[in-house]
Amino acid sequence: MFKVSDPMTTPPAVFSTALQQAVYERFAQLEISFERVDTDPGLTMEDCLHIDAKIGVHIVKTLFLCNRQQTEFHLYVTTDDKPFVTRDYCAAMGGIPRVSFASADKLRELTGVEVGATTVLSAVLPQSASVQLVMDRRVAEGEWFACTDGTPTCFVKIRTEDLLQKYLPSSGHSLMLI
């Protein structure tokens, strides 16, 4: 059975990563309320269904993409049920050249996370400044936003409005909606 704790409104007692600590510090600084659940590593769609049930909202799907030369990187946040079609994404981005999934090494270097913990919350890290943040309009229009906190064993839920109007602007990142 996949383990998911009851929702909590306090940060973890011990932080697993520098990003996880930075996320909760930024939440406190910006007075962003949250709920979080501790879980077994949430790596599959089935795992996310268990998390969704406890947290009361669908976890977003976040993809880390790059161009062929691996010089341009995109963090794309979309709904959990939307298939990723490269052609459609590139067209929605204004006809950019084809993108593919970036390497685990680049993910770690630019966003501070391991595979399975990709999150737009990594925008708080200075090394993510060159990563373009892209979000599906359906996600941006939702009342709630849920994702990892930078670890594959903790998922957090905040108001989408707080993400878009407080958290991301405080990081200096702009967000492209498609």
Side-chain angles (χ1 to χ4, degrees), residues 49-74:
L49 292 176
H50 295 290
I51 299 164
D52 294 350
K54 274 284 191 173
I55 207 162
V57 63
H58 290 281
I59 303 298
V60 296
K61 178 170 40 178
T62 306
L63 307 174
F64 189 57
L65 308 166
C66 66
N67 63 355
R68 178 173 289 178
Q69 298 80 13
Q70 295 191 28
T71 57
E72 296 177 12
F73 296 89
H74 306 246

Side-chain angles (χ1 to χ4, degrees), residues 32-121:
I32 294 175
S33 59
F34 63 89
E35 286 185 7
R36 70 175 181 88
V37 291
D38 290 333
T39 69
D40 287 335
L43 304 175
T44 68
M45 293 307 292
E46 292 79 24
D47 297 342
C48 287
L49 292 176
H50 295 290
I51 299 164
D52 294 350
K54 274 284 191 173
I55 207 162
V57 63
H58 290 281
I59 303 298
V60 296
K61 178 170 40 178
T62 306
L63 307 174
F64 189 57
L65 308 166
C66 66
N67 63 355
R68 178 173 289 178
Q69 298 80 13
Q70 295 191 28
T71 57
E72 296 177 12
F73 296 89
H74 306 246
L75 202 55
Y76 175 45
V77 180
T78 187
T79 59
D80 63 334
D81 62 346
K82 185 174 184 175
F84 179 69
V85 179
T86 303
R87 175 185 64 242
D88 296 345
Y89 177 82
C90 293
M93 292 291 292
I96 64 170
R98 187 174 182 90
V99 296
S100 61
F101 294 100
S103 71
D105 288 340
K106 281 295 185 183
L107 175 67
R108 193 176 313 106
E109 175 188 333
L110 296 174
T111 69
V113 301
E114 300 294 329
V115 173
T118 308
T119 179
V120 72
L121 300 178

Side-chain angles (χ1 to χ4, degrees), residues 3 20 29 57 63 110 155:
K3 179 194 103 176
Q20 187 183 47
Q29 175 188 20
V57 63
L63 307 174
L110 296 174
F155 291 77

Side-chain angles (χ1 to χ4, degrees), residues 15-36:
F15 297 112
S16 300
T17 67
L19 172 59
Q20 187 183 47
Q21 182 174 353
V23 165
Y24 290 101
E25 286 174 354
R26 186 63 56 100
F27 285 171
Q29 175 188 20
L30 299 173
E31 299 179 352
I32 294 175
S33 59
F34 63 89
E35 286 185 7
R36 70 175 181 88

Side-chain angles (χ1 to χ4, degrees), residues 92-161:
M93 292 291 292
I96 64 170
R98 187 174 182 90
V99 296
S100 61
F101 294 100
S103 71
D105 288 340
K106 281 295 185 183
L107 175 67
R108 193 176 313 106
E109 175 188 333
L110 296 174
T111 69
V113 301
E114 300 294 329
V115 173
T118 308
T119 179
V120 72
L121 300 178
S122 64
V124 73
L125 297 176
Q127 69 261 31
S128 74
S130 64
V131 177
Q132 181 170 8
L133 304 181
V134 183
M135 184 177 287
D136 187 295
R137 285 186 190 280
R138 283 182 26 205
V139 173
E141 292 167 355
E143 181 179 2
W144 296 101
F145 182 86
C147 64
T148 76
D149 68 355
T151 68
T153 57
C154 191
F155 291 77
V156 65
K157 173 177 121 177
I158 64 174
R159 291 198 172 280
T160 306
E161 179 179 317

